[in-house]
Amino acid sequence: MASQILNFKELKLESGTVLSDFSLAYETFGNYDSEKNNVVWVCHALTANADVFDWWKGLFGNNDFFNPKDYFIVCVNMLGSCYGSEQAITYAIKNNLNPLDFPLFTIRDIVKSLELLRNHLRIKKIKYLIGGSMGGQQALEWAYLQPLLFENLVVLATNARHSAWGIAFNEAQRLAIKADQTFGSLAENAGEKGLKAARACALLSYRNYEMFVKMQTDEDEKTENFKAISYQQYQGEKLVKRFNAYSYWYLSKAMDSHHIGRNRGSMEEVLKTIKAKTLVIGISSDLLFPIEEQQFIADNIPTAKLVIFDSAYGHDGFLIETQKIANAIQQYF
Ligand code: COA
């Protein structure tokens, strides 16, 4: 594994604002083959990072479908995230700004930043582009922008346009963050309590009724201190140790912006121009990105196949059900 941070001069954002002097952190695993024909590019989801071997074990690993013996694997910590790439709080500290003065950016801007890095690495062909959830949103956008770059595309638990339901969930989380009076101050832990509440809210959309009842029902007959409470608290505490409220704020807004058809005609027309051989994977219990959204993508990308599988884990199934995902990829490609 090799970790790098690269600096770039500027990125003209969809809003017209120019983001100057920014960095992108990324990791690579394995080596190029003689013709640089074995590149796998991974786009990660909301709070993940560039170490795909850590968070997508079972699909990425020495003995997994995507392994460093066969592939050169690249994963970039997306713009705005807090694992080494440019993010609101460190940018504000560096430039003596308010963290909320960081420019708003969209999924399209994130993809534009990936293009800068791809050009730097002189990668001309990508064998597999893969992403789930917000990572799938980036992958779809990129596959549209550069139809000849990608041979194969795998998108999981994602959509062509972020839904009103998804935006409402994100706004509920941002309201929790905003209610924390420390949010707005120039400190990495600003909004920490709000972020804990936001994570608790997000988890409800990542799982479902059945999973909570199965895993978090108390056996004794108590009247307080329920397991479900400590689960929600634990997950919030775990997140604030590795993430900050500003990155969460900006990335959730980028997610809201996702709309592959914006100012381009209909989403159907746009999806029809994607050339990569595409596998769309959905999870029947996913409340956040219901399978109609993957059905829509698959109906409109000419080469797409749709695979829906059952999982008790809801949206989180795209992180957990790696055996089913690997089988589907192996069978289709
Ligand atoms: N009280 C306190 N802690 C509890 C608990 C309870 N009642 N029940 C479980 N836990 C702890 C577990 O011990 C475990 O701790 P650890 O992470 O330190 O090992 C943690 O909560 C996770 O447990 P659980 O959710 O049951 O594990 P899982 O295997 O079903 O799921 C993850 C693993 C990583 C997918 C999940 O924990 C997670 O983080 N989900 C959110 C991921 C995400 O961001 N998804 C959306 C992407 S867009």
Side-chain angles (χ1 to χ4, degrees), residues 29-150:
F29 309 80
N31 295 300
Y32 293 117
D33 63 13
S34 54
E35 291 173 356
K36 272 196 170 181
N37 224 356
N38 65 336
V39 175
V40 176
W41 197 297
V42 187
C43 297
H44 71 74
L46 183 63
T47 68
N49 54 51
D51 188 359
V52 60
F53 278 52
D54 180 50
W55 57 263
W56 226 350
K57 290 190 187 90
L59 188 59
F60 286 81
N62 289 337
N63 299 311
D64 293 328
F65 184 84
F66 293 117
N67 63 74
K69 285 174 275 167
D70 295 332
Y71 297 110
F72 179 75
I73 299 160
V74 187
C75 187
V76 183
N77 180 223
M78 67 175 136
L79 177 70
S81 174
C82 52
Y83 288 90
S85 290
E86 202 66 54
Q87 52 157 329
I89 183 62
T90 49
Y91 196 78
I93 292 170
K94 190 168 68 182
N95 296 298
N96 201 19
L97 297 168
N98 181 321
L100 293 169
D101 287 340
F102 194 73
L104 278 181
F105 54 89
T106 65
I107 292 287
R108 293 185 189 184
D109 297 322
I110 295 173
V111 167
K112 238 173 144 180
S113 76
L114 298 179
E115 269 289 279
L116 289 177
L117 182 64
R118 177 185 74 83
N119 285 321
H120 172 86
L121 297 175
R122 296 199 170 86
I123 291 174
K124 302 239 157 44
K125 189 102 200 114
I126 292 178
K127 188 150 190 88
Y128 286 96
L129 172 63
I130 179 167
S133 194
M134 188 180 181
Q137 297 178 333
Q138 295 162 57
L140 265 190
E141 174 65 28
W142 204 3
Y144 160 74
L145 263 193
Q146 293 284 359
L148 301 177
L149 177 62
F150 305 102

Side-chain angles (χ1 to χ4, degrees), residues 45-47 133 199 203 206-207 215-216 227-228 230-231 234-235 238 242 313 315-316 318-320:
L46 183 63
T47 68
S133 194
R199 181 64 163 177
L203 281 173
Y206 300 156
R207 297 286 166 113
M215 300 302 292
Q216 301 299 341
K227 273 168 79 175
S230 70
Y231 181 72
Y234 177 76
Q235 289 286 355
K238 203 173 160 192
R242 64 176 186 86
Y313 291 97
H315 185 60
D316 269 352
F318 91 89
L319 292 169
I320 296 172

Side-chain angles (χ1 to χ4, degrees), residues 213-277:
V213 169
K214 181 172 169 217
M215 300 302 292
Q216 301 299 341
T217 297
D218 295 83
E219 272 135 41
D220 45 350
E221 295 169 6
K222 47 173 69 161
T223 55
E224 58 175 351
N225 299 326
F226 297 105
K227 273 168 79 175
I229 293 175
S230 70
Y231 181 72
Q232 291 293 73
Q233 289 180 351
Y234 177 76
Q235 289 286 355
E237 271 148 29
K238 203 173 160 192
L239 185 73
V240 299
K241 285 189 192 134
R242 64 176 186 86
F243 217 81
N244 72 63
Y246 294 114
S247 285
Y248 203 91
W249 178 271
Y250 278 93
L251 292 179
S252 73
K253 288 210 165 231
M255 202 172 174
D256 288 358
S257 76
H258 174 60
H259 181 347
I260 201 155
R262 185 171 55 251
N263 303 325
R264 292 172 176 160
S266 74
M267 289 196 284
E268 287 89 341
E269 280 163 8
V270 167
L271 290 170
K272 282 196 168 58
T273 65
I274 291 180
K275 301 259 183 304
K277 182 171 176 180

